[in-house]
Amino acid sequence: MKNIKKAAHLLIGCAMAAGISSCTGSNTNSGNTSTAKTNTSPDSLQDYVNHRINIYETVKLTTNLNELSVNERKILPLLIQAAQIMDELFWKQTYPERDSLLNTIRDEKTKSFVRINYGPWDRLNGDKPFVAGIGPKPEGATFYPAGMTKESIEKADLKDKFNAYSVIRKDASGKLNVVPYHVLFATELQQASSLLKQAALLADDPGLKKYLNLRSEALVTDNYTASDYAWLDMKNNGLDIIIGPIENYEDKMFNARTSYESYVLVKDKVWSKRLAKYVSLLPELQKGLPVAEKYKKEAPGTDSELNAYDVVYYAGDCNAGSKTIAVNLPNDEIIQQKKGTRRSQLKNAMKAKFDKILLPIAKELIDKDQQQYIKFDAFFSNVMFHEVAHGLGIKKTISGKGFVKEALKEQYSWLEEGKADILGLYMVTGLLKKGELTGDIKDFYTTFMAGILRSVRFGASSAHGKANMQCFNYFKEKGAFIRTSEGTYKVDFDKFATAMNGLSNLIITLQGNGDYNAVAKVQKEKALIPAELQSDLDKLSKKGIPVDILFEQGADVLGVK
């Protein structure tokens, strides 16, 4: 036993040497690592893992291959192989000592939980450590030297210090250097690039062929702009792959560095055609935002697309913790303003979450008289317009502090997700009034309320979790819902609309002002789970309702090996 404990402590030293150092918040139910029973295994907090591993429901990712051409079936395995390389790179960014750690763990459930979380911290419970001897999760992952404080990095004299596609490292003399990803991960990126080029040779669609070739170059140069534009220009492709270092969520120190991920997608052309009209309505919706004129002068790009897909492979960042069910890219603000974005609805994953998580939550926590309003079409629209709403609002501060993302640093992601949530609902409300969307507003509001109760379970380490905590607390203060004597939630539809406009105003104003301290204060005071809500969330766990989903996925699952 002593040897195993010693090994665990040695691992911590190895991880720290690789650049690991600090921590973040807390969330849902579950046991406390400090109260683990004395008879637990020395290499894991066994009771905790046994409980928490059951929060996930496994879902098989498939699609109708009959809709694909012969060449598309040949391309799919190549795209999946490239995605698997992104998965390995994400491990190197989050916990490079994976294999050493897994070799010290005897319990198979703990090993599985490490793989699910891409490390020994529970992503859906405030990054709580669940392996004995492991300290808090580092705020900067492996992007910065171990032990360096945020302040010392800010003061460091380095050119291009916060380049999204680089890390900061110390050389043998202790001097700090910025190391580009394409240098640090040269071997893996060359392999992924080669796979994309092979796929491009097989691609029949000119747009897909161009994108794959440009993305293959981008991976080995860290210059993604041309491939982002080519991706937006694709219109008739049946297959798609989102691949590369994209989101900033893992860098909780500065929200500067990007993490590797990939989605392999098969387009649902029928659903995509239905969605095409909504992007053209963005300018009109921007003008009507419930905020002062100076915060809504920007014109959102309208060369954007709304598409529906079956996702057949998740890798890296998007597969860690809560699984993404819709994507709005590129993240580059300049491209967004000039060209727009593509909003990709991951329909099969979305349906799985609705059936296995949202419906059971609604049956437990939504008032019986309003459960009739919980509908998949409303859930799909709420999620879809969340992604569209990333294009609304403000990208540049009115205070001369540059882009909102730069001004708010690590506070940006959670507030931006909150903006997309609430402006998505604002869009639904406006489109229903204009007759551009069909349905009952009660469906959308009640399903949105159930969606809040679903997403707050992602916890304080998740940008989406924080966003939903803020929304819950704001709506509660405004009387947008009540908690009944039976412990269920009942929407007040009139006050819900009023609260929606009020929160929209608050978030856009915070973003437009670029006031970092004000946003940090809101996060500290409002992005938290009240005790009463926590008690209600505990009921969901006791009922065995999953928090999120895992995927059975790959070429063998699809039958395209």
Short mmCIF file of all heavy atoms in Angstrom, two decimals, residues 422-481:
data_model
loop_
_atom_site.label_atom_id
_atom_site.label_comp_id
_atom_site.label_asym_id
_atom_site.label_seq_id
_atom_site.Cartn_x
_atom_site.Cartn_y
_atom_site.Cartn_z
N ILE A 422 -29.80 33.45 -23.01
CA ILE A 422 -30.92 34.37 -22.80
C ILE A 422 -31.32 35.06 -24.11
O ILE A 422 -32.51 35.30 -24.36
CB ILE A 422 -30.58 35.39 -21.69
CG1 ILE A 422 -31.85 35.97 -21.10
CG2 ILE A 422 -29.61 36.44 -22.14
CD1 ILE A 422 -32.72 34.96 -20.38
N LEU A 423 -30.36 35.37 -24.97
CA LEU A 423 -30.71 35.97 -26.26
C LEU A 423 -31.31 34.93 -27.21
O LEU A 423 -32.08 35.28 -28.11
CB LEU A 423 -29.50 36.64 -26.90
CG LEU A 423 -28.98 37.91 -26.22
CD1 LEU A 423 -27.96 38.62 -27.11
CD2 LEU A 423 -30.10 38.88 -25.86
N GLY A 424 -30.97 33.67 -27.01
CA GLY A 424 -31.63 32.62 -27.77
C GLY A 424 -33.12 32.59 -27.45
O GLY A 424 -33.97 32.47 -28.34
N LEU A 425 -33.43 32.73 -26.18
CA LEU A 425 -34.83 32.76 -25.76
C LEU A 425 -35.52 34.04 -26.26
O LEU A 425 -36.68 34.01 -26.67
CB LEU A 425 -34.91 32.69 -24.23
CG LEU A 425 -36.29 32.38 -23.64
CD1 LEU A 425 -36.76 30.99 -24.05
CD2 LEU A 425 -36.27 32.51 -22.12
N TYR A 426 -34.78 35.14 -26.25
CA TYR A 426 -35.28 36.40 -26.80
C TYR A 426 -35.62 36.24 -28.28
O TYR A 426 -36.65 36.72 -28.77
CB TYR A 426 -34.24 37.50 -26.58
CG TYR A 426 -34.32 38.66 -27.53
CD1 TYR A 426 -35.23 39.69 -27.34
CD2 TYR A 426 -33.47 38.73 -28.65
CE1 TYR A 426 -35.30 40.76 -28.23
CE2 TYR A 426 -33.54 39.79 -29.53
CZ TYR A 426 -34.45 40.80 -29.32
OH TYR A 426 -34.52 41.86 -30.20
N MET A 427 -34.75 35.53 -29.02
CA MET A 427 -35.00 35.29 -30.44
C MET A 427 -36.26 34.45 -30.64
O MET A 427 -37.09 34.75 -31.51
CB MET A 427 -33.81 34.57 -31.07
CG MET A 427 -32.59 35.44 -31.27
SD MET A 427 -31.31 34.58 -32.21
CE MET A 427 -32.08 34.55 -33.84
N VAL A 428 -36.40 33.39 -29.85
CA VAL A 428 -37.59 32.54 -29.95
C VAL A 428 -38.85 33.37 -29.73
O VAL A 428 -39.82 33.27 -30.50
CB VAL A 428 -37.51 31.40 -28.91
CG1 VAL A 428 -38.87 30.73 -28.74
CG2 VAL A 428 -36.48 30.36 -29.34
N THR A 429 -38.81 34.21 -28.70
CA THR A 429 -39.97 35.04 -28.39
C THR A 429 -40.31 35.98 -29.55
O THR A 429 -41.48 36.10 -29.95
CB THR A 429 -39.69 35.86 -27.11
OG1 THR A 429 -39.33 34.97 -26.05
CG2 THR A 429 -40.91 36.66 -26.70
N GLY A 430 -39.28 36.63 -30.10
CA GLY A 430 -39.50 37.55 -31.20
C GLY A 430 -39.98 36.87 -32.47
O GLY A 430 -40.88 37.38 -33.16
N LEU A 431 -39.42 35.70 -32.77
CA LEU A 431 -39.80 34.99 -33.99
C LEU A 431 -41.21 34.43 -33.91
O LEU A 431 -41.92 34.37 -34.92
CB LEU A 431 -38.79 33.87 -34.27
CG LEU A 431 -37.38 34.35 -34.67
CD1 LEU A 431 -36.41 33.17 -34.70
CD2 LEU A 431 -37.41 35.06 -36.02
N LEU A 432 -41.62 34.03 -32.71
CA LEU A 432 -43.01 33.57 -32.54
C LEU A 432 -43.98 34.71 -32.79
O LEU A 432 -45.01 34.54 -33.45
CB LEU A 432 -43.20 33.01 -31.12
CG LEU A 432 -42.67 31.60 -30.87
CD1 LEU A 432 -42.70 31.29 -29.38
CD2 LEU A 432 -43.50 30.56 -31.63
N LYS A 433 -43.63 35.90 -32.27
CA LYS A 433 -44.51 37.06 -32.47
C LYS A 433 -44.61 37.44 -33.94
O LYS A 433 -45.66 37.90 -34.41
CB LYS A 433 -43.98 38.25 -31.65
CG LYS A 433 -44.18 38.10 -30.15
CD LYS A 433 -43.59 39.28 -29.39
CE LYS A 433 -43.78 39.12 -27.89
NZ LYS A 433 -43.14 40.23 -27.13
N LYS A 434 -43.52 37.25 -34.69
CA LYS A 434 -43.50 37.60 -36.11
C LYS A 434 -44.10 36.51 -36.99
O LYS A 434 -44.26 36.70 -38.20
CB LYS A 434 -42.06 37.87 -36.55
CG LYS A 434 -41.41 39.08 -35.93
CD LYS A 434 -39.95 39.19 -36.35
CE LYS A 434 -39.24 40.33 -35.63
NZ LYS A 434 -39.81 41.63 -35.98
N GLY A 435 -44.40 35.37 -36.40
CA GLY A 435 -44.93 34.27 -37.17
C GLY A 435 -43.87 33.51 -37.95
O GLY A 435 -44.18 32.70 -38.83
N GLU A 436 -42.59 33.75 -37.63
CA GLU A 436 -41.49 33.06 -38.32
C GLU A 436 -41.19 31.71 -37.67
O GLU A 436 -40.42 30.91 -38.21
CB GLU A 436 -40.23 33.93 -38.29
CG GLU A 436 -40.35 35.25 -39.02
CD GLU A 436 -40.33 35.07 -40.54
OE1 GLU A 436 -40.11 33.94 -41.00
OE2 GLU A 436 -40.54 36.06 -41.25
N LEU A 437 -41.76 31.47 -36.52
CA LEU A 437 -41.58 30.22 -35.79
C LEU A 437 -42.95 29.78 -35.30
O LEU A 437 -43.77 30.62 -34.92
CB LEU A 437 -40.64 30.46 -34.60
CG LEU A 437 -40.11 29.26 -33.83
CD1 LEU A 437 -39.19 28.41 -34.71
CD2 LEU A 437 -39.34 29.72 -32.58
N THR A 438 -43.22 28.51 -35.34
CA THR A 438 -44.53 28.02 -34.89
C THR A 438 -44.40 27.33 -33.54
O THR A 438 -43.35 26.80 -33.19
CB THR A 438 -45.12 27.03 -35.90
OG1 THR A 438 -44.21 25.93 -36.09
CG2 THR A 438 -45.36 27.71 -37.23
N GLY A 439 -45.48 27.35 -32.78
CA GLY A 439 -45.48 26.71 -31.47
C GLY A 439 -46.08 27.62 -30.42
O GLY A 439 -46.43 28.77 -30.69
N ASP A 440 -46.17 27.08 -29.22
CA ASP A 440 -46.73 27.80 -28.08
C ASP A 440 -45.58 28.32 -27.22
O ASP A 440 -44.68 27.56 -26.87
CB ASP A 440 -47.62 26.83 -27.28
CG ASP A 440 -48.36 27.52 -26.14
OD1 ASP A 440 -47.94 28.61 -25.69
OD2 ASP A 440 -49.37 26.94 -25.69
N ILE A 441 -45.59 29.61 -26.90
CA ILE A 441 -44.52 30.19 -26.09
C ILE A 441 -44.36 29.44 -24.77
O ILE A 441 -43.26 29.36 -24.21
CB ILE A 441 -44.78 31.70 -25.83
CG1 ILE A 441 -43.53 32.37 -25.25
CG2 ILE A 441 -45.97 31.91 -24.91
CD1 ILE A 441 -42.35 32.41 -26.17
N LYS A 442 -45.44 28.85 -24.28
CA LYS A 442 -45.37 28.08 -23.03
C LYS A 442 -44.44 26.87 -23.18
O LYS A 442 -43.76 26.48 -22.23
CB LYS A 442 -46.77 27.64 -22.60
CG LYS A 442 -47.68 28.79 -22.19
CD LYS A 442 -49.06 28.30 -21.80
CE LYS A 442 -49.97 29.46 -21.40
NZ LYS A 442 -51.34 29.01 -21.07
N ASP A 443 -44.44 26.26 -24.37
CA ASP A 443 -43.53 25.14 -24.62
C ASP A 443 -42.08 25.57 -24.48
O ASP A 443 -41.27 24.90 -23.82
CB ASP A 443 -43.74 24.58 -26.04
CG ASP A 443 -45.11 23.98 -26.26
OD1 ASP A 443 -45.85 23.78 -25.27
OD2 ASP A 443 -45.45 23.72 -27.42
N PHE A 444 -41.76 26.70 -25.10
CA PHE A 444 -40.38 27.16 -25.13
C PHE A 444 -39.91 27.62 -23.74
O PHE A 444 -38.79 27.32 -23.33
CB PHE A 444 -40.23 28.29 -26.14
CG PHE A 444 -40.49 27.86 -27.55
CD1 PHE A 444 -41.74 28.02 -28.13
CD2 PHE A 444 -39.49 27.25 -28.30
CE1 PHE A 444 -41.99 27.61 -29.43
CE2 PHE A 444 -39.74 26.84 -29.61
CZ PHE A 444 -40.98 27.01 -30.17
N TYR A 445 -40.76 28.34 -23.02
CA TYR A 445 -40.37 28.83 -21.69
C TYR A 445 -40.26 27.69 -20.68
O TYR A 445 -39.31 27.63 -19.89
CB TYR A 445 -41.38 29.88 -21.20
CG TYR A 445 -41.25 31.24 -21.84
CD1 TYR A 445 -40.35 31.48 -22.87
CD2 TYR A 445 -42.05 32.30 -21.42
CE1 TYR A 445 -40.24 32.73 -23.46
CE2 TYR A 445 -41.95 33.57 -22.01
CZ TYR A 445 -41.04 33.77 -23.03
OH TYR A 445 -40.94 35.02 -23.61
N THR A 446 -41.21 26.77 -20.70
CA THR A 446 -41.17 25.67 -19.73
C THR A 446 -40.00 24.74 -20.03
O THR A 446 -39.31 24.27 -19.11
CB THR A 446 -42.49 24.88 -19.74
OG1 THR A 446 -43.59 25.78 -19.64
CG2 THR A 446 -42.54 23.90 -18.58
N THR A 447 -39.76 24.47 -21.31
CA THR A 447 -38.63 23.63 -21.68
C THR A 447 -37.31 24.32 -21.36
O THR A 447 -36.34 23.67 -20.95
CB THR A 447 -38.70 23.27 -23.18
OG1 THR A 447 -39.95 22.61 -23.45
CG2 THR A 447 -37.57 22.34 -23.58
N PHE A 448 -37.26 25.64 -21.49
CA PHE A 448 -36.08 26.40 -21.10
C PHE A 448 -35.83 26.27 -19.60
O PHE A 448 -34.69 26.09 -19.16
CB PHE A 448 -36.27 27.88 -21.46
CG PHE A 448 -35.06 28.75 -21.22
CD1 PHE A 448 -34.11 28.92 -22.21
CD2 PHE A 448 -34.88 29.41 -20.01
CE1 PHE A 448 -32.99 29.74 -22.00
CE2 PHE A 448 -33.77 30.21 -19.79
CZ PHE A 448 -32.82 30.38 -20.78
N MET A 449 -36.90 26.33 -18.81
CA MET A 449 -36.77 26.18 -17.36
C MET A 449 -36.21 24.79 -17.02
O MET A 449 -35.31 24.66 -16.18
CB MET A 449 -38.14 26.37 -16.69
CG MET A 449 -38.12 26.31 -15.18
SD MET A 449 -37.28 27.74 -14.44
CE MET A 449 -36.39 26.95 -13.09
N ALA A 450 -36.72 23.76 -17.67
CA ALA A 450 -36.20 22.41 -17.45
C ALA A 450 -34.75 22.33 -17.90
O ALA A 450 -33.93 21.63 -17.27
CB ALA A 450 -37.05 21.39 -18.21
N GLY A 451 -34.41 23.08 -18.95
CA GLY A 451 -33.03 23.10 -19.44
C GLY A 451 -32.09 23.73 -18.43
O GLY A 451 -30.93 23.30 -18.30
N ILE A 452 -32.55 24.75 -17.71
CA ILE A 452 -31.73 25.34 -16.65
C ILE A 452 -31.42 24.29 -15.59
O ILE A 452 -30.28 24.13 -15.15
CB ILE A 452 -32.44 26.55 -16.01
CG1 ILE A 452 -32.57 27.70 -17.01
CG2 ILE A 452 -31.69 27.02 -14.76
CD1 ILE A 452 -33.40 28.87 -16.48
N LEU A 453 -32.45 23.55 -15.18
CA LEU A 453 -32.27 22.53 -14.14
C LEU A 453 -31.36 21.41 -14.62
O LEU A 453 -30.67 20.78 -13.83
CB LEU A 453 -33.63 21.97 -13.73
CG LEU A 453 -34.59 22.99 -13.11
CD1 LEU A 453 -35.98 22.38 -12.93
CD2 LEU A 453 -34.05 23.49 -11.77
N ARG A 454 -31.34 21.18 -15.93
CA ARG A 454 -30.42 20.18 -16.49
C ARG A 454 -28.98 20.69 -16.45
O ARG A 454 -28.06 20.00 -16.02
CB ARG A 454 -30.80 19.85 -17.94
CG ARG A 454 -29.87 18.87 -18.63
CD ARG A 454 -30.26 18.65 -20.07
NE ARG A 454 -29.95 19.79 -20.92
CZ ARG A 454 -28.80 19.96 -21.56
NH1 ARG A 454 -27.83 19.06 -21.44
NH2 ARG A 454 -28.60 21.01 -22.33
N SER A 455 -28.79 21.94 -16.88
CA SER A 455 -27.43 22.44 -17.10
C SER A 455 -26.73 22.90 -15.82
O SER A 455 -25.50 22.90 -15.78
CB SER A 455 -27.45 23.58 -18.12
OG SER A 455 -27.87 23.11 -19.38
N VAL A 456 -27.47 23.29 -14.78
CA VAL A 456 -26.79 23.68 -13.55
C VAL A 456 -26.05 22.49 -12.94
O VAL A 456 -25.10 22.66 -12.17
CB VAL A 456 -27.74 24.29 -12.49
CG1 VAL A 456 -28.25 25.63 -12.93
CG2 VAL A 456 -28.88 23.35 -12.13
N ARG A 457 -26.45 21.29 -13.31
CA ARG A 457 -25.79 20.09 -12.79
C ARG A 457 -24.37 19.93 -13.34
O ARG A 457 -23.59 19.11 -12.84
CB ARG A 457 -26.61 18.84 -13.12
CG ARG A 457 -28.01 18.85 -12.52
CD ARG A 457 -28.82 17.67 -13.01
NE ARG A 457 -28.59 16.46 -12.25
CZ ARG A 457 -28.85 15.23 -12.69
NH1 ARG A 457 -29.31 15.06 -13.93
NH2 ARG A 457 -28.61 14.19 -11.94
N PHE A 458 -24.01 20.72 -14.36
CA PHE A 458 -22.66 20.65 -14.92
C PHE A 458 -21.63 21.26 -13.98
O PHE A 458 -20.45 21.01 -14.11
CB PHE A 458 -22.58 21.36 -16.27
CG PHE A 458 -23.40 20.71 -17.35
CD1 PHE A 458 -23.87 21.45 -18.42
CD2 PHE A 458 -23.73 19.37 -17.30
CE1 PHE A 458 -24.63 20.86 -19.43
CE2 PHE A 458 -24.50 18.77 -18.29
CZ PHE A 458 -24.94 19.52 -19.36
N GLY A 459 -22.08 22.12 -13.05
CA GLY A 459 -21.20 22.59 -12.00
C GLY A 459 -20.43 23.86 -12.29
O GLY A 459 -20.44 24.40 -13.39
N ALA A 460 -19.73 24.30 -11.25
CA ALA A 460 -19.04 25.58 -11.30
C ALA A 460 -17.79 25.57 -12.15
O ALA A 460 -17.27 26.63 -12.50
CB ALA A 460 -18.67 26.01 -9.87
N SER A 461 -17.28 24.41 -12.50
CA SER A 461 -16.10 24.37 -13.36
C SER A 461 -16.47 24.50 -14.83
O SER A 461 -15.61 24.64 -15.69
CB SER A 461 -15.31 23.08 -13.15
OG SER A 461 -16.07 21.96 -13.56
N SER A 462 -17.77 24.45 -15.13
CA SER A 462 -18.25 24.54 -16.50
C SER A 462 -18.78 25.93 -16.80
O SER A 462 -19.54 26.50 -16.01
CB SER A 462 -19.35 23.51 -16.73
OG SER A 462 -20.16 23.83 -17.82
N ALA A 463 -18.40 26.49 -17.96
CA ALA A 463 -18.93 27.80 -18.36
C ALA A 463 -20.44 27.75 -18.49
O ALA A 463 -21.15 28.67 -18.08
CB ALA A 463 -18.30 28.23 -19.69
N HIS A 464 -20.96 26.64 -19.05
CA HIS A 464 -22.41 26.49 -19.20
C HIS A 464 -23.09 26.36 -17.84
O HIS A 464 -24.19 26.87 -17.64
CB HIS A 464 -22.72 25.28 -20.07
CG HIS A 464 -22.24 25.41 -21.48
ND1 HIS A 464 -20.94 25.12 -21.84
CD2 HIS A 464 -22.85 25.83 -22.61
CE1 HIS A 464 -20.79 25.33 -23.15
NE2 HIS A 464 -21.93 25.77 -23.63
N GLY A 465 -22.44 25.67 -16.91
CA GLY A 465 -23.01 25.54 -15.57
C GLY A 465 -23.12 26.88 -14.88
O GLY A 465 -24.17 27.23 -14.30
N LYS A 466 -22.06 27.68 -14.92
CA LYS A 466 -22.09 29.02 -14.31
C LYS A 466 -23.18 29.88 -14.94
O LYS A 466 -23.90 30.60 -14.25
CB LYS A 466 -20.74 29.71 -14.51
CG LYS A 466 -19.59 29.17 -13.68
CD LYS A 466 -18.38 30.08 -13.83
CE LYS A 466 -17.19 29.53 -13.06
NZ LYS A 466 -16.17 28.95 -13.91
N ALA A 467 -23.27 29.82 -16.28
CA ALA A 467 -24.27 30.63 -16.98
C ALA A 467 -25.68 30.30 -16.51
O ALA A 467 -26.50 31.19 -16.29
CB ALA A 467 -24.15 30.40 -18.49
N ASN A 468 -25.97 29.03 -16.35
CA ASN A 468 -27.30 28.62 -15.93
C ASN A 468 -27.57 28.92 -14.46
O ASN A 468 -28.71 29.18 -14.07
CB ASN A 468 -27.51 27.15 -16.24
CG ASN A 468 -27.87 26.91 -17.69
OD1 ASN A 468 -29.02 26.97 -18.08
ND2 ASN A 468 -26.85 26.68 -18.52
N MET A 469 -26.52 28.89 -13.64
CA MET A 469 -26.69 29.29 -12.24
C MET A 469 -27.08 30.76 -12.15
O MET A 469 -27.98 31.14 -11.39
CB MET A 469 -25.38 29.06 -11.47
CG MET A 469 -25.01 27.61 -11.27
SD MET A 469 -23.37 27.50 -10.51
CE MET A 469 -22.92 25.83 -10.95
N GLN A 470 -26.40 31.61 -12.94
CA GLN A 470 -26.75 33.02 -12.95
C GLN A 470 -28.19 33.22 -13.40
O GLN A 470 -28.95 33.99 -12.79
CB GLN A 470 -25.81 33.80 -13.88
CG GLN A 470 -26.13 35.30 -13.91
CD GLN A 470 -25.58 36.01 -15.14
OE1 GLN A 470 -25.44 35.42 -16.20
NE2 GLN A 470 -25.27 37.29 -14.99
N CYS A 471 -28.58 32.51 -14.46
CA CYS A 471 -29.93 32.65 -14.98
C CYS A 471 -30.97 32.21 -13.95
O CYS A 471 -31.98 32.90 -13.73
CB CYS A 471 -30.08 31.84 -16.27
SG CYS A 471 -31.64 32.08 -17.12
N PHE A 472 -30.73 31.08 -13.31
CA PHE A 472 -31.65 30.58 -12.29
C PHE A 472 -31.85 31.62 -11.19
O PHE A 472 -32.99 31.94 -10.81
CB PHE A 472 -31.13 29.27 -11.70
CG PHE A 472 -31.99 28.71 -10.60
CD1 PHE A 472 -33.00 27.80 -10.90
CD2 PHE A 472 -31.81 29.09 -9.28
CE1 PHE A 472 -33.82 27.29 -9.88
CE2 PHE A 472 -32.62 28.59 -8.26
CZ PHE A 472 -33.62 27.68 -8.57
N ASN A 473 -30.75 32.15 -10.67
CA ASN A 473 -30.83 33.10 -9.55
C ASN A 473 -31.49 34.41 -9.97
O ASN A 473 -32.27 34.99 -9.20
CB ASN A 473 -29.43 33.34 -8.98
CG ASN A 473 -28.91 32.14 -8.22
OD1 ASN A 473 -29.64 31.52 -7.44
ND2 ASN A 473 -27.66 31.76 -8.45
N TYR A 474 -31.20 34.87 -11.17
CA TYR A 474 -31.81 36.11 -11.65
C TYR A 474 -33.32 35.91 -11.84
O TYR A 474 -34.13 36.74 -11.40
CB TYR A 474 -31.16 36.55 -12.96
CG TYR A 474 -31.64 37.90 -13.46
CD1 TYR A 474 -30.95 39.06 -13.13
CD2 TYR A 474 -32.79 38.02 -14.24
CE1 TYR A 474 -31.38 40.31 -13.58
CE2 TYR A 474 -33.24 39.26 -14.69
CZ TYR A 474 -32.53 40.39 -14.35
OH TYR A 474 -32.97 41.63 -14.78
N PHE A 475 -33.69 34.83 -12.49
CA PHE A 475 -35.12 34.56 -12.73
C PHE A 475 -35.88 34.35 -11.42
O PHE A 475 -37.03 34.76 -11.29
CB PHE A 475 -35.27 33.33 -13.64
CG PHE A 475 -35.19 33.65 -15.11
CD1 PHE A 475 -34.29 34.59 -15.59
CD2 PHE A 475 -36.01 33.01 -16.02
CE1 PHE A 475 -34.21 34.89 -16.94
CE2 PHE A 475 -35.95 33.30 -17.38
CZ PHE A 475 -35.04 34.25 -17.83
N LYS A 476 -35.22 33.74 -10.45
CA LYS A 476 -35.86 33.55 -9.15
C LYS A 476 -36.14 34.89 -8.49
O LYS A 476 -37.24 35.13 -7.96
CB LYS A 476 -34.98 32.69 -8.25
CG LYS A 476 -35.59 32.38 -6.89
CD LYS A 476 -34.67 31.52 -6.05
CE LYS A 476 -35.29 31.22 -4.68
NZ LYS A 476 -34.38 30.40 -3.84
N GLU A 477 -35.14 35.80 -8.51
CA GLU A 477 -35.30 37.13 -7.92
C GLU A 477 -36.44 37.91 -8.57
O GLU A 477 -37.14 38.67 -7.91
CB GLU A 477 -34.00 37.92 -8.08
CG GLU A 477 -32.86 37.44 -7.19
CD GLU A 477 -31.56 38.15 -7.52
OE1 GLU A 477 -31.58 39.10 -8.34
OE2 GLU A 477 -30.51 37.74 -6.98
N LYS A 478 -36.64 37.70 -9.87
CA LYS A 478 -37.67 38.43 -10.61
C LYS A 478 -39.03 37.72 -10.60
O LYS A 478 -39.98 38.21 -11.22
CB LYS A 478 -37.22 38.64 -12.06
CG LYS A 478 -35.91 39.41 -12.20
CD LYS A 478 -35.97 40.80 -11.58
CE LYS A 478 -34.66 41.54 -11.72
NZ LYS A 478 -34.68 42.87 -11.06
N GLY A 479 -39.12 36.61 -9.90
CA GLY A 479 -40.40 35.90 -9.80
C GLY A 479 -40.81 35.20 -11.09
O GLY A 479 -42.00 34.94 -11.31
N ALA A 480 -39.83 34.88 -11.94
CA ALA A 480 -40.15 34.25 -13.23
C ALA A 480 -40.65 32.82 -13.05
O ALA A 480 -41.26 32.25 -13.95
CB ALA A 480 -38.92 34.26 -14.13
N PHE A 481 -40.37 32.25 -11.89
CA PHE A 481 -40.91 30.94 -11.54
C PHE A 481 -41.07 30.88 -10.03
O PHE A 481 -40.50 31.70 -9.30
CB PHE A 481 -39.98 29.81 -12.02
CG PHE A 481 -38.61 29.84 -11.40
CD1 PHE A 481 -38.36 29.29 -10.14
CD2 PHE A 481 -37.55 30.42 -12.09
CE1 PHE A 481 -37.09 29.34 -9.57
CE2 PHE A 481 -36.27 30.47 -11.52
CZ PHE A 481 -36.05 29.92 -10.26
#
